[in-house]
Amino acid sequence: MRVFLPSTLPALAEALRAGQVGSSVGSSADPGQQPGYAVTPALREAYASGDDEELEYAALTEAGRASLRMLAANPAAPPRRVVLAAEIPADQVKLDARDREPARVLVTAAIPIDTLASAHVDDTVAAQDVRAAAEALDAADSGDEDARFAVDGAEGHELGWYASQELSYLAE
């Protein structure tokens, strides 16, 4: 099952050092469980139409927003959304859909780095918009239209695609 894992550049560097994503010291997720985003029944229901590729893009977008939340919690991190794509056995993924996150799942095991398919990362030119979005995210969630505009500004930047072999260059 393709799962999109929200991250940050420092978290990616830590995962590369550890050889796995998840179950690390200082993780806010339960031990052995971390949030991810995938094409779930709830996501399919949320979209009246759309093929698998479009639904995967919606899941990737949700993961990008979760990356913004991680950046808001760590203002020292470089302001670039990071989403890691991994193929994870379905028996290691639990559905965890939420009102604003129909693609949300929980991954119940650490993900070895060698199972990552790719990374999706903001270009450095998006930094100002990403920082503003991270700072505005709570207000946007509360309905503030100006804050929502800031979040939309970051989400207007397409995430660049990086092959798994390029991950170490991103983490430098």
Side-chain angles (χ1 to χ4, degrees), residues 105-129:
V105 297
L106 289 176
V107 180
T108 60
I111 299 116
I113 288 295
D114 62 0
T115 64
L116 294 179
S118 61
H120 304 267
V121 182
D122 276 309
D123 189 88
T124 55
V125 299
Q128 185 175 351
D129 289 339

Side-chain angles (χ1 to χ4, degrees), residues 6 10 19 44 104 165:
R44 287 186 189 283
R104 185 177 159 100
Q165 304 89 310

Side-chain angles (χ1 to χ4, degrees), residues 64-150:
R65 190 164 303 136
S67 176
L68 276 178
R69 292 186 194 295
M70 294 173 76
L71 290 169
N74 182 6
R80 295 171 72 187
R81 295 170 297 162
V82 176
V83 176
L84 306 173
E87 291 298 328
I88 300 174
D91 64 346
Q92 293 179 3
V93 179
K94 292 184 348 185
L95 299 178
D96 191 39
R98 309 240 169 125
D99 285 342
R100 296 181 190 170
E101 299 178 308
R104 185 177 159 100
V105 297
L106 289 176
V107 180
T108 60
I111 299 116
I113 288 295
D114 62 0
T115 64
L116 294 179
S118 61
H120 304 267
V121 182
D122 276 309
D123 189 88
T124 55
V125 299
Q128 185 175 351
D129 289 339
V130 170
R131 178 64 65 210
E135 292 170 357
L137 201 53
D138 285 340
D141 288 345
S142 298
D144 182 310
E145 288 301 318
D146 290 335
R148 179 76 239 153
F149 185 76

Side-chain angles (χ1 to χ4, degrees), residues 46-69:
Y47 285 82
S49 65
D51 61 20
D52 285 344
E53 187 174 316
E54 291 169 315
L55 293 172
E56 278 193 359
Y57 186 79
L60 172 68
T61 301
E62 282 189 34
R65 190 164 303 136
S67 176
L68 276 178
R69 292 186 194 295

Side-chain angles (χ1 to χ4, degrees), residues 14-21 111-114:
E14 175 58 32
L16 290 170
R17 280 190 294 276
Q20 66 183 25
V21 178
I111 299 116
I113 288 295
D114 62 0

